Amino acid sequence: MSLPTELAFAAQRIALENGLTQAELFEYVFDDTALALSFVLNIALAGFTILGIAYLGRNLTDPRSKMIAISLMLISVVSISSYTGLTSGLTLSVIEMPSGHPAEGTVTAGEDGVLTMWGRYLTWTFSTPFILIALGMIAGSNWTKILTTVAFTIAMCITGLAAALTTSSLVMRWWWFVISSIFFLVIVYVILVDWTAEAQKTGTGDLFNTLKLLTVVGWFGYPILWALGVEGFAILDVAITSWGYSILDIITKYIVTFVAMFYVIKEPDAITGGADYGSSLPGFTPADD
């Protein structure tokens, strides 16, 4: 059985074993106004972003430009679905932390454990690949590199989910975190080194520099929040942790989306990729590794 399947069953088992029903989790979320707003705001922004991209991209004709626009839209399609799951209590669970964890013995809504927002990992698993597809195409990279980063980001999110769901050992929780961070650094290297060089050659360097700054700096915030939040050292409470993730999502998803989309609309010649769906400009072939 594959790791993603095992984690899916683990999440389902935790949800079923959790003493709190979805209705009780829903009530718990909305009893905490700050926590509820961190979810609802992203639902609203994701919906606005989807409508905005549909409007801005209505006159696009080039296949490459349209594929970038679709990838950008799918980021918010995933986000609105996943945040709805969090808001409804469907993808929330109360998990008892292992021995030695700073939050060991915490009680949430009358149940032993801390509120774990494992639905966020679903958001990242399915939305981050579309961010990388859009960035890779804007940089003019080849599909081998684009799909490689997609594979690594899925692995990063799944191992992050494993860290959040592991209750058997504190050491194993942090080991999963280390593995996830290694996968993350591979992606960062591709963005900062390979794709930056390719963007300079394709003529999208200025745009890509802006996007990589927003993306990479924002992405570094996720492991930091994990370490400081209830799943790590438990320095930050659940609501503050949730708001931290939500703000990072706003930067790395919606702001990045509109920056990229406005460029595609205003500078179509720099994005045009010809008659097919190739990620490179006509006459340009990125150097193989």
Side-chain angles (χ1 to χ4, degrees):
M1 186 180 295
S2 66
L3 177 59
T5 303
E6 290 176 354
L7 289 172
F9 279 116
Q12 182 184 46
R13 183 172 62 254
I14 290 170
L16 291 174
E17 292 176 351
N18 182 15
L20 298 176
T21 65
Q22 286 183 28
E24 289 170 329
L25 287 168
F26 176 80
E27 184 178 352
Y28 176 81
V29 167
F30 280 90
D31 281 343
D32 188 333
T33 304
L35 179 61
L37 286 176
S38 71
F39 297 156
V40 173
L41 175 63
N42 269 272
I43 294 174
L45 289 176
F48 173 78
T49 303
I50 292 169
L51 295 175
I53 295 174
Y55 176 78
L56 292 172
R58 67 192 186 283
N59 294 322
L60 291 176
T61 57
D62 177 69
R64 183 170 174 235
S65 298
K66 289 193 289 186
M67 189 167 184
I68 292 173
I70 291 170
S71 296
L72 294 171
M73 178 182 285
L74 288 174
I75 297 168
S76 293
V77 169
V78 172
S79 292
I80 197 171
S81 303
S82 294
Y83 272 102
T84 299
L86 289 167
T87 305
S88 66
L90 176 63
T91 55
L92 295 173
S93 296
V94 175
I95 298 178
E96 194 170 353
M97 293 293 104
S99 177
H101 191 280
E104 181 186 5
T106 298
V107 176
T108 301
E111 292 292 323
D112 292 334
V114 301
L115 186 71
T116 298
M117 299 171 284
W118 55 270
R120 286 191 179 277
Y121 296 91
L122 298 181
T123 305
W124 302 328
T125 300
F126 293 106
S127 66
T128 309
F130 292 118
I131 297 174
L132 291 170
I133 289 172
L135 288 178
M137 294 190 73
I138 289 170
S141 187
N142 58 59
W143 279 107
T144 299
K145 289 181 183 178
I146 292 174
L147 294 180
T148 297
T149 61
V150 167
F152 269 96
T153 196
I154 292 173
M156 173 189 70
C157 295
I158 289 174
T159 49
L161 175 59
L165 295 180
T166 297
T167 60
S168 59
S169 167
L170 182 61
V171 172
M172 287 307 302
R173 285 179 67 89
W174 283 103
W175 175 238
W176 280 119
F177 176 81
V178 169
I179 295 175
S180 180
S181 298
I182 292 172
F183 293 151
F184 167 65
L185 292 176
V186 172
I187 300 166
V188 169
Y189 175 84
V190 173
I191 294 174
L192 294 183
V193 179
D194 287 2
W195 286 0
T196 297
E198 290 171 354
Q200 293 298 327
K201 294 178 181 178
T202 57
T204 57
D206 290 343
L207 168 64
F208 191 80
N209 284 338
T210 299
L211 294 177
K212 79 177 181 183
L213 180 64
L214 290 170
T215 302
V216 172
V217 171
W219 280 4
F220 266 102
Y222 290 98
I224 293 173
L225 267 177
W226 195 96
L228 296 177
V230 292
E231 293 169 323
F233 294 117
I235 296 173
L236 305 176
D237 66 23
V238 171
I240 294 176
T241 303
S242 183
W243 262 109
Y245 284 138
S246 292
I247 291 171
L248 291 175
D249 278 355
I250 290 170
I251 295 170
T252 61
K253 291 182 173 65
Y254 316 127
I255 292 178
V256 163
T257 289
F258 278 111
V259 169
M261 196 64 196
F262 280 125
Y263 186 91
V264 170
I265 299 301
K266 293 181 179 180
E267 302 290 343
D269 292 341
I271 295 298
T272 298
D276 58 21
Y277 287 87
S279 58
S280 301
L281 292 174
F284 172 72
T285 304
D288 292 331
D289 291 336

